[in-house]
Amino acid sequence: MKVILQFHLNKVGAGFPSPATDYVEDDIDLNIHLIKNIPSTFLIRVQGKSMNKVGIHNDDLLVVDKSLNPKNFSTVIANINEELVVKTLIKKNNQSFLTSGSEEFKDKINLTENPEIIIWGVVTYVIHAL
Amino acid sequence: MLYNKSKIALVDCNSFYVSCERLFNPSIAKKPVIVLSSNDGCVISRSTEAKKLGIKMGEPYFKVKKIIKENDVKTFSTNFALYGDISRRVMKTLKHFSPRMEIYSIDEAFLDFSSIKNEDLLEHGYKIKKTI
């Protein structure tokens, strides 16, 4: 996932050099903006519509960091019924739940009652095509 | 006398190829899993469950076919692109735990622990395991 946008500076043989030369900045590198911890970061492609409410759509790319500890309302990748799924983590009254983006959602899963469910990683960015 | 004081740790990943396959495929997390060598010749990585079934390291595939069928052993051909990527990630992470490091193989590395106090060695080891 390396995107490099080149700067095209005018070549000047003689005479007045380009005044922009002194202001050259680094190429835009999305890795720097989207990935904080390279060895623990993975890109995962979304399949399904269950998380549309929180802005995660079918075919989106998720940037997932396995080294982060999930917080309340973190979007996470969890291992549920032998499958990796994307969910929202909600902590309430000393209990943790996984939902599809809303506290009201009926399909919420109580993590305290299902200790076999493992939080695989924390989603840090969604890459969505418009 | 310096060498008397040097402490070297050997890091070795458990069933590395199998662990890599399991990382993105939780459905095989608790099942017996093996990875075969190039052209599916021999068994080169076994999960604990597969070891318990008597599948030996380096055993030819045709010899264990019966065990595989009877016990529904999940069998994979090598995916070195995946193992190489995970190996690089493991090594990059290990580098944080020692000023000196020597990568020994795809899943093994030596770390210089000389600067760590004896009583802290065990704790440091657990910390590495947890982080990886």
Side-chain angles (χ1 to χ4, degrees):
Chain A
M1 199 197 71
K2 191 132 192 166
V3 180
I4 289 176
L5 303 181
Q6 295 284 350
F7 279 86
H8 295 284
L9 292 178
N10 292 326
K11 276 189 181 170
V12 179
F16 189 64
S18 164
T21 319
D22 292 340
Y23 299 91
V24 173
E25 290 183 16
D26 281 341
D27 295 327
I28 295 168
D29 184 351
L30 280 181
N31 290 320
I32 292 168
H33 294 279
L34 300 183
I35 300 177
K36 297 283 172 291
N37 191 355
I38 296 168
S40 65
T41 300
F42 296 86
L43 292 184
I44 294 183
R45 175 91 54 195
V46 178
Q47 221 172 36
K49 299 175 178 173
S50 69
M51 293 292 280
N52 280 7
K53 273 194 175 165
V54 278
I56 296 173
H57 297 85
N58 191 35
D59 254 3
D60 283 358
L61 265 184
L62 301 178
V63 182
V64 182
D65 191 337
K66 268 179 84 61
S67 70
L68 296 176
N69 283 321
K71 297 175 193 150
N72 197 10
F73 288 104
S74 280
T75 304
V76 297
I77 301 292
N79 173 0
I80 303 174
N81 297 331
E82 308 194 331
E83 230 180 321
L84 292 180
V85 291
V86 53
K87 291 277 179 194
T88 302
L89 178 76
I90 289 168
K91 294 178 178 179
K92 210 176 173 183
N93 306 330
N94 281 330
Q95 289 197 308
S96 298
F97 302 90
L98 290 178
T99 77
S100 297
S102 153
E103 259 184 87
E104 314 303 325
F105 240 84
K106 287 185 184 113
D107 68 342
K108 68 180 174 189
I109 301 162
N110 189 326
L111 282 182
T112 326
E113 287 167 10
N114 297 282
E116 77 283 356
I117 295 175
I118 296 161
I119 305 291
W120 193 91
V122 176
V123 179
T124 50
Y125 289 94
V126 185
I127 303 171
H128 174 71
L130 293 173
Chain B
M1 289 301 278
L2 188 67
Y3 61 88
N4 276 338
K5 288 179 183 168
S6 64
K7 290 167 234 166
I8 307 294
L10 167 63
V11 182
D12 185 326
C13 302
N14 293 340
S15 320
F16 183 63
Y17 297 167
V18 166
S19 303
C20 292
E21 294 290 348
R22 279 177 165 171
L23 184 58
F24 295 100
N25 187 355
S27 69
I28 58 168
K30 281 164 194 157
K31 298 194 174 114
V33 184
I34 57 170
V35 176
L36 301 173
S37 62
S38 304
N39 291 324
D40 294 347
C42 301
V43 180
I44 50 169
S45 185
R46 305 157 299 153
S47 70
T48 318
E49 298 81 2
K51 286 174 191 172
K52 275 187 192 148
L53 292 173
I55 299 172
K56 302 272 180 318
M57 186 65 184
E59 211 168 358
Y61 177 44
F62 73 88
K63 279 195 177 177
V64 291
K65 259 187 178 164
K66 199 166 166 253
I67 306 179
I68 292 171
K69 212 173 170 190
E70 283 168 359
N71 298 281
D72 189 27
V73 178
K74 303 293 171 196
T75 308
F76 292 86
S77 302
T78 45
N79 180 352
F80 281 116
L82 170 69
Y83 312 149
D85 176 48
I86 303 299
S87 173
R88 275 195 302 279
R89 290 166 184 265
V90 169
M91 299 307 170
K92 261 187 201 162
T93 309
L94 283 178
K95 249 180 211 157
H96 294 293
F97 291 97
S98 169
R100 280 176 68 211
M101 170 177 167
E102 192 175 313
I103 297 172
Y104 188 60
S105 74
I106 192 163
D107 72 332
E108 293 164 294
F110 293 105
L111 296 179
D112 187 349
F113 276 9
S114 304
S115 56
I116 296 164
K117 279 191 236 150
N118 275 347
E119 56 266 37
D120 295 336
L121 282 173
L122 190 66
E123 190 59 35
H124 201 61
Y126 280 131
K127 203 173 150 194
I128 292 177
K129 198 175 168 188
K130 190 167 177 282
T131 310
I132 299 286

